[in-house]
Amino acid sequence: MSPPAPTKVKTAAVHAGERVEASRAIPLSAPIFMASVSYFDDSDALDGALDGRDYTYTRIKGQNSELLEQAVAALEGTEDCAAFPSGMAALKALLESLELKAGDRVVVPNDGYGASLALVKAFAREKGAELHLRSMTAPQTPGELRALKPRLVMAESVSNPLLSVPDLPALAEAARDAGAVFAVDATFPSPALQRAASFGADLVLQSTTKWLNGHSDAMGGTVSGAKARIAPMKAARVLHGAVLGPFEAWLTLRGVRTLPVRMAAHSAHAARVAERLKASPHVERVLYPGLEEHPQHAVARRMLPHGFGGMLAFELQGAGRAQAFRFLEKVALCKPAPSLGDVTTLVMHAATASARRMTPEERAAAGIRESLIRVSVGLEDPDDVAEDLLQAAAAAL
Ligand SMILES: *Cc1c(COP(=O)(O)O)cnc(C)c1O
């Protein structure tokens, strides 16, 4: 029941102005529900809320993270989605939902994000599962998957940092034949450029920290897929407590509103920057799925029908670590920041950043050299971006 209006200062300080008036107004953007706890005038309603039928405690169910989940599921074209406080937390939840047993086999890309590899490696070791690294673009890999019969096959739909583009339907079919769950990290293209589930992924991972947020002001991660695969992750989340905060969810959803138009612009800008870099004597090679000479360009045309994305990588001519580090200090418009998906162009030395958690042998096997610079092309004029990169290259070498 409602208490009488407070008259004493201490009570007023705690209770005055606490109830939102009931209203028929529908806000055009969702309010931020910062309250970590809500109460009910009716005990049966509270009882139901504790079972997750209404909102009473944010670890059980939160309005803003649910709105983001609805949006990401709609973008991915999946039945359901679960949100987490980072991409890594999302990956951990995905792994835990599989209940791996000793002797199970897990296949991961040999040229994927270093932290993901480190997490899966530690997780597999703890469970006594066998870890197998594979090139997801090698023609023999689907056949090997059928023979290996793994429990889980993971792929990055555009790999970090080498921009390799696997043929997802071919891998999905092999995973299905082997009885494996096929999980795809589609952070690089984002669901605006690729709906990985439509190419056969059972589970799709996003680090929403990147393109979905788009402005580098909130971390987050999502796993999307069929209800039956997502439900155990949501149930476990109530207990392990890795929930996405309401403000982060709100910021991410705000970013999602412009995702398709941003990705179209990022793709066009990256294509222009790739062409400009290609023409420079300071650049050994440019990796961009939209370039004819990209090793999987034909596959990329099928996998990325709406644009080749904002990520590219290039090798500085003859550079070692010292020259690469100097390059990072010479960029002016572009920022040497170890992330991606921002409106600002970000550059990064792959070997010491995204591939930092790989061993030197793993980096060598994947083909990640000291001269490799990764670029997340922003929304500045692409010729300004290209000129900044080229002047930095000239100054560094
Ligand atoms: C950044 C990233 C992750 C990890 O996400 P966080 O939000 O940093 O935890 C996973 N996969 C890829 C491809 C990434 O780029």
Side-chain angles (χ1 to χ4, degrees):
M1 59 180 270
S2 321
T7 53
K8 299 195 176 70
V9 158
K10 286 182 177 173
T11 303
V14 177
H15 291 294
E18 74 185 351
R19 271 214 186 203
V20 180
E21 285 302 323
S23 162
R24 292 174 56 195
I26 303 169
L28 199 54
S29 75
I32 308 175
F33 292 87
M34 288 303 288
S36 54
V37 64
S38 303
Y39 63 91
F40 297 82
D41 291 329
D42 161 350
S43 296
D44 286 338
L46 173 61
D47 196 46
L50 286 164
D51 268 341
R53 287 197 289 278
D54 204 337
Y55 306 99
T56 187
Y57 193 64
T58 305
R59 178 161 49 73
I60 302 173
K61 186 178 162 79
Q63 291 93 330
N64 292 105
S65 70
E66 278 195 350
L67 291 173
L68 178 65
E69 288 168 350
Q70 285 166 20
V72 174
L75 286 169
E76 298 282 14
T78 56
E79 272 181 354
D80 205 358
C81 168
F84 298 92
S86 68
M88 296 309 293
L91 176 57
K92 182 77 193 291
L94 185 162
L95 293 171
E96 275 170 352
S97 75
L98 300 174
E99 299 184 346
L100 290 182
K101 296 180 306 296
D104 282 346
R105 299 183 186 110
V106 173
V107 181
V108 293
N110 67 347
D111 70 337
Y113 179 51
S116 299
L117 175 62
L119 174 62
V120 179
K121 204 191 266 182
F123 190 83
R125 190 183 307 122
E126 190 186 303
K127 299 283 174 189
E130 277 175 33
L131 188 71
H132 296 262
L133 273 69
R134 286 287 182 284
S135 158
M136 290 297 156
T137 54
Q140 70 273 18
T141 298
E144 289 177 6
L145 294 178
R146 286 186 174 87
L148 199 60
K149 301 222 176 311
R151 271 291 311 285
L152 170 66
V153 175
M154 298 205 63
E156 286 180 13
S157 56
V158 177
S159 78
N160 183 359
L162 288 167
L163 291 306
S164 65
V165 183
D167 184 338
L168 296 181
L171 292 172
E173 203 183 307
R176 197 176 328 115
D177 291 349
V181 173
F182 184 42
V184 173
D185 182 336
T187 297
F188 268 35
S190 92
L193 300 183
Q194 183 190 66
R195 296 173 118 177
S198 76
F199 292 119
D202 296 312
L203 292 168
V204 185
L205 188 93
Q206 296 287 342
S207 164
T208 64
T209 312
K210 316 291 173 51
W211 300 108
L212 279 88
N213 168 279
H215 302 76
S216 300
D217 51 19
M219 301 213 60
T222 53
V223 186
S224 302
K227 266 198 161 50
R229 294 194 191 275
I230 301 299
M233 294 179 217
K234 288 189 171 174
R237 189 177 58 186
V238 173
L239 300 180
H240 66 56
V243 291
L244 181 64
F247 192 41
E248 281 76 6
W250 187 90
L251 284 167
T252 306
L253 188 53
R254 184 187 166 111
V256 162
R257 299 302 179 218
T258 56
L259 180 71
V261 287
R262 278 188 288 113
M263 294 316 292
H266 286 294
S267 295
H269 290 201
R272 172 75 183 153
V273 173
E275 290 293 347
R276 294 279 313 263
L277 290 175
K278 223 175 77 173
S280 166
H282 302 303
V283 173
E284 204 167 314
R285 64 171 179 149
V286 180
L287 298 167
Y288 184 62
L291 293 177
E292 295 265 342
E293 60 268 37
H294 184 280
Q296 292 93 38
H297 179 65
V299 175
R301 294 182 76 90
R302 278 191 286 121
M303 294 296 102
L304 302 164
H306 308 294
F308 297 103
M311 300 304 298
L312 61 88
F314 69 95
E315 286 185 344
L316 280 169
Q317 187 67 51
R321 186 169 293 193
Q323 289 80 13
F325 275 20
R326 201 151 62 224
F327 171 84
L328 298 181
E329 292 166 1
K330 296 291 182 189
V331 288
L333 181 65
C334 308
K335 307 299 176 216
S339 188
L340 60 111
D342 197 88
V343 294
T344 297
T345 297
L346 307 179
V347 295
M348 198 206 59
H349 181 232
T352 54
S354 63
R356 189 178 192 89
R357 309 210 180 279
M358 294 168 86
T359 63
E361 295 73 30
E362 285 166 351
R363 279 198 291 273
I368 299 166
R369 292 157 59 181
E370 287 292 335
S371 55
L372 189 71
I373 302 289
R374 193 188 77 184
V375 186
S376 169
V377 180
L379 297 180
E380 307 93 337
D381 186 285
D383 285 311
D384 285 348
V385 172
E387 273 147 38
D388 188 41
L389 297 172
L390 294 172
Q391 69 72 26
L397 296 175

